[in-house]
Each structure stands twice: as C-alpha cells, then as structure tokens.
Amino acid sequence: MGNIRVGIDVGGTFTDFTVLDDETGNMRHFKVSSTPHDPSEAIETGIAGFAERGLQASDVVHFGHGTTVATNMVIERRGGKTGLLTTEGFRDVLEIGRQTRPDLFDMSVRKPDPLVVRPLRLEVAERLGPAGEVIVPLDEAGVEAAAERFKQEGVEAVAIGFLHSYRNPAHERRAGEIIRKHLPGVFISLSSDVLPEFREYERISTTVMNAYLMPRMDGYLDRFMTRSRKAGIEAKPYTIHSNGGLMSTETARNYPVRTCLSGPAAGVVGASLVGKAVSFPDIITYDVGGTSTDVALIANGKPAYSTDRDVAGYSIRCPMVDVNVIGAGGGSIAWLDDAGGLKVGPQSAAAVPGPAAYGKGGTDATISDANIVLQRLNPIALLDGAMPVDREAALKAVGAVAEKIGRSVEDTAWGIIRIAVANMARAIRAVSMDKGHDLKSFALMAFGGAGPLHSSLVAAETGLNTVIIPESPARCAPAACFCRT
C-alpha cells in the first residue's frame, strides 16, 4: 500500500500535477492541457495517466488543488444569475461604492457593471442600529414578495446584506429561511456569514460575489469530486485558500469567494518554502503561466498579505496573499491599438484555441509563438517531446503582425517579447518599489511554464541582481497544495 500525496494546479492553459511518495521521497511532475469548458475533465485525464507512470490512484492519501476557476468566472462574467436583497434605501450601494479612482486624471476609466443588475436588487423594510438593536422589525411579507420576484426572474443565487447585520444576524437568517422555503434550489449567501464586519459596501460587494460564484463553483466541485472518485482516488480533496492555506471542499462550495486567488497563492507558498531552503528570505515571486503573470513579494520568508483588493474590478474583502495578476502569459495575444501601436495581452488564446504553434486552431500571434519563432522555445516539440510544435504556423501568425507594422518577422517577435517583459516588470514594481522596498535586496524566483524563459530579461529590466529557478519550476504551485495540512 502506497502513501502518495497529490497536488494539482488548474491553470488557464495547462493543468499541472505533482505527486510525492511519502515513503521514498520521490517526486514526479507532469501536465495535461486544461479544458476551460470543464476544468475537471483535465483533472480526470491526468489521474487516468497515473498507471502509465507506475502510480496507483488508490494509493493517494492526500489530494489538494489550486484553481483559477472562480477568478476566470468573474473575469468572463460566467457566474450564476444573482439577486440582492438589502435594507430599504441601500439597493444602489454596489454602484455608489467608494469615492476612489484607479487613475484620477484618466477620463476613459469605467467601472465594471455590477454583478447584480438593478431590477434584481430588491429592498425590504427592516433596520438594525449600530449596536445590533432592532429599530424596524423585518417585513416578512416583503421578503416573501421579493422571493416571488426572484422566482419569476429565474435567479440562481441570492445575496442578502442588511445594515449592521454583522452585529445581529437575526434578520438576515430569517430572510434566508423565507427565501429557501420559496426557492428551495437557489443558493443563498448571507453577509453575516461571508463577512461579519462593518463597512456596508465591502461587505455587500463580497457577499454578492460569493453568491454569484456559488452555482457554477458548486457544479465544478461536484464534477471534480465525481471524476476523482471514478478515477480511483478516495482521499478527501482540499482546495487552496486565497491566503495560501487549505480548506475543505465543503468550505469552498459555501464560500467560493475565498478561492479567487487560489492558484496564485499556491505558487507563492511554494516559492517561500524554496526560498527558505536556499537561504534567500527576500524574494519577488514571478509566476508566468499560459494566461497570466502573477507576482508577489516575500520579505523575511513571509509573503505579504492583504484583506482588501479588486478582482476584475470588483471589491472583495477576505484574507489573501497579496498577488498582482496581469494578463501576460504564454498565450497572451499580440495586437495593434487604434494608433497602430503594438500591444500584448491581456486577451489570451488560452488552452483553446491556444497559440498558433500548438495546432489547435489558434491563428493569433502570442508570446509563445514569438518565442518559437526566435527558437527560444523548442521549435519542434514541448513537454519532453509529448507536445508537437508547428513553427511554420507561428511564423505565419507573427508574420501577419509584422506585415501590419512594416517590420521583419524576427524583429516583430522580439518586440512582442520586449513589450511583455515591460508589462511584467511594471507588475513587479507595483508590489515592491511602489510599496517602499529596495529591489536590490531581493532575488527573483522564476517559475511557471514561462517564468524562467523570461527571467533574465525581467531581472535586467527591474534591476534585480539574482534569479532563482527551482527544480521543476513549472510545478511550484501544485507542490504547495500539500505543503500546509
């Protein structure tokens, strides 16, 4: 009987597996193409490949995974149809927000549309004082009327956020009971459960996002557990929390908002352990995947944490590793703006159709295509020969951009890489120099599928003097999935 620990990182382009044998200390790594339409399919495919690697799914005693499913749902607006029930007079708190602007003088900045459209933001008569005392009793008939409206509109989830409910959750809980009675199949998220803290905007915004994610995350986790059980894994699965710890599948199901930085947080945890092992306690993590670049700061061996941040423009509040995520990965697409300037990302070719060179139907030039054109990546095959590469397709895709800007294919490919590097360097400065840290005292920890490939260029761009590339750098995140138990 074996004693195997499995960590999985579900990315936008690849799903990575790390398998550790506790008895021998042997560690194995492999990856499969992600399946964006249903990420659990890639997980099942990877587990099915255990046998050919001499592994038995029945020997798994620990099973953890980090995922970007929740983040991608918000970015792509693929969550469930959500309603909001709130205190009379507060239906527009989501749109009013705070008087903060990302760029004071940029008139083109637009806030994203609220996750709940205004007709589905309903009010009910009730009022609690700041000490939790009842000022206006809950209008239960009004809650029933709201439930009927939600039923007619076909909502899949309801967020309930009342004034001062963090001091007294009684009204929210009673409203939840009434809505469950009228809408038994609808997901309900109470602000007094999700974020029992003061500040109405942050509390309601976080609760709304939690409700918005619940239907799709519940379905994903159901498929994830069903497929893993079918493949022979009996161990209870865990999911990486945005703070870098592990949580049960049931917790992830009830509070999916806590997984918004699940995948990136796993990478930071893994990098901090590697940094301690090689006596570099001060690190800038540099995780480049197929869709994004994730950077974070680790000082004295400890990652920086945050409780407030935006996810795709929406404010959420919960403990999380302070990771700066930008749309610059191997699949990021090169394009021209209205003035004819060359840009890279944040749009991504992702796993499907993928970069042109991957032969899955992609035709847009990407960072990976540029690297294949310049033969910085193997122009014949990747993943130890398991993934054939079509360099001619990459030349054609990059050549189409080159023709538009009047440069050679090689110059254009190099330009794509340099622009991507500049974007990555800007993200690194945002978590370090912009917060008062001297980059010269830090080392760059490069991992992810494309991190080491661009690390020397990024180090030169930012003035970092040391680059650390861990063994099997593309697997730091999945390895972290079994580092904290």
Side-chain angles (χ1 to χ4, degrees):
M1 184 69 179
N3 192 18
I4 294 174
R5 299 163 71 85
V6 177
I8 305 173
D9 180 40
V10 182
T13 304
F14 290 106
T15 296
D16 295 289
F17 290 75
T18 294
V19 182
L20 172 68
D21 189 323
D22 273 347
E23 295 179 352
T24 65
N26 292 333
M27 189 176 289
R28 305 187 189 189
H29 314 282
F30 62 95
K31 63 173 61 191
V32 299
S33 292
S34 292
T35 49
H37 64 282
D38 182 359
S40 66
E41 281 190 19
I43 295 175
E44 183 180 27
T45 299
I47 297 171
F50 276 15
E52 65 187 56
R53 295 175 171 86
L55 303 169
Q56 295 294 326
S58 59
D59 291 341
V60 175
V61 295
H62 177 89
F63 188 35
H65 91 306
T67 175
T68 57
V69 169
T71 306
N72 292 339
M73 265 193 273
V74 178
I75 292 172
E76 299 169 17
R77 297 297 297 269
R78 292 188 292 104
K81 188 174 183 180
T82 305
L84 170 64
L85 183 65
T86 190
T87 303
E88 196 169 43
F90 283 81
R91 73 183 297 194
D92 292 320
V93 69
L94 286 179
E95 292 195 77
I96 296 172
R98 297 289 180 202
Q99 293 300 310
T100 56
R101 301 178 186 178
D103 192 324
L104 186 61
F105 300 105
D106 187 352
M107 301 301 292
S108 65
V109 172
R110 294 289 183 272
K111 293 193 296 185
D113 294 332
L115 295 176
V116 181
V117 296
R118 196 168 193 272
L120 292 181
R121 301 199 298 263
L122 306 183
E123 301 175 346
V124 64
E126 72 84 37
R127 191 69 175 237
L128 299 175
E133 72 277 16
V134 176
I135 298 175
V136 177
L138 176 67
D139 179 4
E140 296 192 3
V143 177
E144 292 178 349
E148 185 60 31
R149 174 70 179 278
F150 289 144
K151 185 176 183 179
Q152 292 173 358
E153 294 291 340
V155 301
E156 300 171 78
V158 175
I160 302 177
F162 293 156
L163 193 67
H164 300 306
S165 62
Y166 57 91
R167 296 299 301 270
N168 181 357
H171 283 185
E172 283 193 357
R173 290 177 181 174
R174 178 56 184 153
E177 291 172 359
I178 294 171
I179 291 178
R180 283 191 182 94
K181 180 180 178 180
H182 287 76
L183 301 171
V186 167
F187 294 88
I188 297 175
S189 186
L190 307 182
S191 75
S192 52
D193 288 338
V194 175
L195 186 65
E197 299 179 10
F198 81 121
R199 296 195 183 283
E200 306 311 312
Y201 169 62
E202 288 80 4
R203 181 160 54 86
I204 292 178
S205 179
T206 305
T207 304
V208 163
M209 183 174 287
N210 193 70
Y212 181 76
L213 295 171
M214 287 177 81
R216 304 291 180 267
M217 181 61 79
D218 185 78
Y220 161 67
L221 290 173
D222 271 345
R223 293 189 298 273
F224 165 64
M225 295 183 70
T226 299
R227 291 177 185 275
S228 62
R229 293 284 186 272
K230 179 182 176 182
I233 293 181
E234 296 297 330
K236 180 181 179 180
Y238 291 90
T239 299
I240 287 280
H241 191 294
S242 293
N243 67 8
L246 292 174
M247 59 182 173
S248 68
T249 300
E250 191 61 30
T251 301
R253 193 189 303 274
N254 292 328
Y255 303 102
V257 71
R258 298 177 185 174
T259 70
C260 281
L261 289 180
S262 173
V268 176
V269 171
S272 68
L273 296 173
V274 174
K276 291 176 182 177
V278 297
S279 300
F280 276 93
D282 297 330
I283 290 172
I284 302 293
T285 67
Y286 173 59
D287 179 5
V288 186
T291 305
S292 67
T293 292
D294 309 327
V295 299
L297 182 138
I298 299 173
N300 296 319
K302 297 180 179 179
Y305 287 87
S306 173
T307 55
D308 293 283
R309 69 169 296 143
D310 284 353
V311 173
Y314 300 102
S315 177
I316 66 170
R317 183 175 173 84
C318 69
M320 63 193 81
V321 177
D322 190 8
V323 181
N324 190 0
V325 181
I326 64 168
S332 294
I333 296 170
W335 55 284
L336 304 183
D337 63 16
D338 293 339
L342 181 61
K343 304 288 184 181
V344 179
Q347 301 89 348
S348 174
V352 180
Y358 288 5
K360 295 182 178 181
T363 57
D364 292 316
T366 66
I367 295 174
S368 290
D369 291 313
N371 280 298
I372 289 168
V373 165
L374 297 177
Q375 302 194 50
R376 287 164 50 84
L377 280 174
N378 191 319
I380 299 174
L382 302 175
L383 305 183
D384 294 328
M387 182 176 177
V389 166
D390 185 353
R391 184 168 183 259
E392 291 302 316
L395 285 166
K396 182 178 180 180
V398 176
V401 178
E403 184 176 349
K404 292 177 181 178
I405 64 176
R407 303 297 292 268
S408 70
V409 175
E410 290 76 13
D411 282 349
T412 302
W414 183 241
I416 291 170
I417 293 169
R418 291 298 304 180
I419 291 170
V421 166
N423 292 338
M424 296 168 182
R426 190 159 49 248
I428 288 173
R429 295 189 189 99
V431 301
S432 56
M433 296 175 66
D434 290 358
K435 296 185 178 180
H437 296 277
D438 182 3
L439 276 176
K440 292 181 180 179
S441 64
F442 285 80
L444 184 69
M445 175 81 74
F447 56 98
L453 181 65
H454 301 97
S455 59
S456 60
L457 295 173
V458 169
E461 184 82 12
T462 56
L464 287 158
N465 297 319
T466 304
V467 176
I468 302 170
I469 300 175
E471 183 180 3
S472 300
R475 285 89 182 188
C476 271
C481 293
F482 47 70
C483 287
R484 290 190 176 185
T485 57

